Amino acid sequence: MRRQAIASSTRVSSDARDRLNYLAGIGRQTEDVPVDGTIYSLRTLKGKEGRLALKAAGKFVDGTPENYYTLRDYTLAQAIYAIDGVDIEMIIGDDSIELVIEHLLGEMDDVVIDFIYSKFLALHNKQKSRFGLAPERLKEVAEDVKKS
């Protein structure tokens, strides 16, 4: 009985969920990347999406190149949200990471995937510099901590 009360009290209404999704999306950046006449729409990742990519790559901790490819593919499978303005879910029939990797990335030329990934990394770094602390500010913070 108590578990039911706790479970029902922790549910989020659909309106609240919509507000949370809106707030979580604040600061999320997008960029269209043209490749031979096709436009790949990228977006920066949410925290849980980035952790999922790292976790997937962590399965290959033996230092092999597979780490890089797994991280790249899992990242792009979440970062590519549309192609030529059509949602990825409409193109593939699902937005599952594994299906995007298998049916989209698995069929693309590796050099093209690397090109799109480099554009994602540039977008990510731009976003990081927008919201992160500048190196000068980091030094100030470190000195303030030492003084206290």
Side-chain angles (χ1 to χ4, degrees), residues 29-68:
Q29 294 294 304
T30 62
E31 181 176 328
D32 289 336
V33 178
V35 178
D36 286 342
T38 301
I39 304 294
Y40 293 87
S41 298
L42 304 178
R43 64 180 165 214
T44 53
L45 300 183
K46 293 179 181 180
K48 65 182 177 183
E49 294 168 335
R51 285 190 298 279
L52 180 62
L54 285 172
K55 185 177 178 181
K59 294 177 186 175
F60 302 98
V61 293
D62 57 1
T64 65
E66 192 67 28
N67 285 59
Y68 167 77

Side-chain angles (χ1 to χ4, degrees), residues 4-115:
Q4 286 179 329
I6 291 172
S8 65
S9 69
T10 58
R11 290 189 187 179
V12 178
S13 72
S14 63
D15 288 341
R17 186 180 324 277
D18 289 344
R19 286 191 299 272
L20 287 170
N21 285 336
Y22 170 77
L23 291 172
I26 290 177
R28 200 169 210 194
Q29 294 294 304
T30 62
E31 181 176 328
D32 289 336
V33 178
V35 178
D36 286 342
T38 301
I39 304 294
Y40 293 87
S41 298
L42 304 178
R43 64 180 165 214
T44 53
L45 300 183
K46 293 179 181 180
K48 65 182 177 183
E49 294 168 335
R51 285 190 298 279
L52 180 62
L54 285 172
K55 185 177 178 181
K59 294 177 186 175
F60 302 98
V61 293
D62 57 1
T64 65
E66 192 67 28
N67 285 59
Y68 167 77
Y69 293 110
T70 303
L71 179 61
R72 178 197 71 180
D73 292 353
Y74 268 77
T75 299
L76 284 180
Q78 297 172 95
I80 299 172
Y81 67 93
I83 299 173
D84 286 336
V86 179
D87 285 347
I88 200 78
E89 183 175 357
M90 296 297 294
I91 295 169
I92 296 178
D94 195 333
D95 63 352
S96 139
I97 295 167
E98 287 75 19
L99 287 177
V100 173
I101 291 171
E102 179 182 348
H103 296 293
L104 176 65
L105 300 175
E107 299 300 323
M108 292 174 72
D109 186 273
D110 204 46
V111 174
V112 173
I113 298 170
D114 280 337
F115 173 74

